[in-house]
Amino acid sequence: MAKTLASIQRQIDKLQKEATAIRAKEVGGVIERIQSAISFYGLTVDDLFGAKPAAKTRGRRKAADPAAKAAAKPKAERVIKYRDEAGNSWTGHGKRPGWFKAALESGKTAEDLLVKS
């Protein structure tokens, strides 16, 4: 007898249900053995998984405690490279600020805005 797609699909569904039931039974046994070992040895979450990793913020790790944060190397101060008559300033690093773009559009050059030391 030739198999049809419908009969194969029914077999797949039957086997999938059987696999799900077997997995549930096996997982129950594994969980019982793990809980028994944890209880017997008095294990904690830290013993099993280590200390919790620090929360991530924009791809960077936060210091675990204030002492570690204080020990971290401080950022170097940036020297102001550009300034306008209104007192706006920019170090020349990062995205160009709006006041700088506007000054360039009004005919000034970057050299005009350079801070003379």
Side-chain angles (χ1 to χ4, degrees):
M1 176 161 139
K3 292 186 177 183
T4 64
L5 178 61
S7 68
I8 292 173
Q9 195 64 46
R10 282 191 298 273
Q11 287 177 339
I12 290 171
D13 290 342
K14 179 182 173 190
L15 290 171
Q16 189 62 47
K17 288 177 185 174
E18 191 176 332
T20 301
I22 291 171
R23 182 184 187 285
K25 182 179 176 184
E26 289 179 2
V27 166
V30 169
I31 290 173
E32 283 180 28
R33 290 192 305 275
I34 291 171
Q35 287 174 336
S36 174
I38 289 171
S39 176
F40 180 80
Y41 292 104
L43 300 174
T44 66
V45 173
D46 286 344
D47 292 333
L48 297 172
F49 302 105
K52 287 185 179 181
K56 290 186 179 181
T57 304
R58 303 184 92 187
R60 296 183 182 166
R61 288 185 176 256
K62 289 185 176 179
D65 59 18
K69 192 172 186 178
K73 184 178 178 183
K75 287 187 178 182
E77 262 190 57
R78 300 263 172 118
V79 177
I80 295 172
K81 189 173 181 180
Y82 301 100
R83 180 172 283 136
D84 67 358
E85 300 82 26
N88 295 311
S89 60
W90 179 46
T91 62
H93 294 276
K95 191 175 177 182
R96 288 182 170 183
W99 68 265
F100 188 84
K101 291 180 194 175
L104 293 178
E105 288 172 3
S106 71
K108 293 199 180 215
T109 64
E111 291 76 31
D112 295 335
L113 299 169
L114 272 173
V115 173
K116 312 311 191 254
S117 36

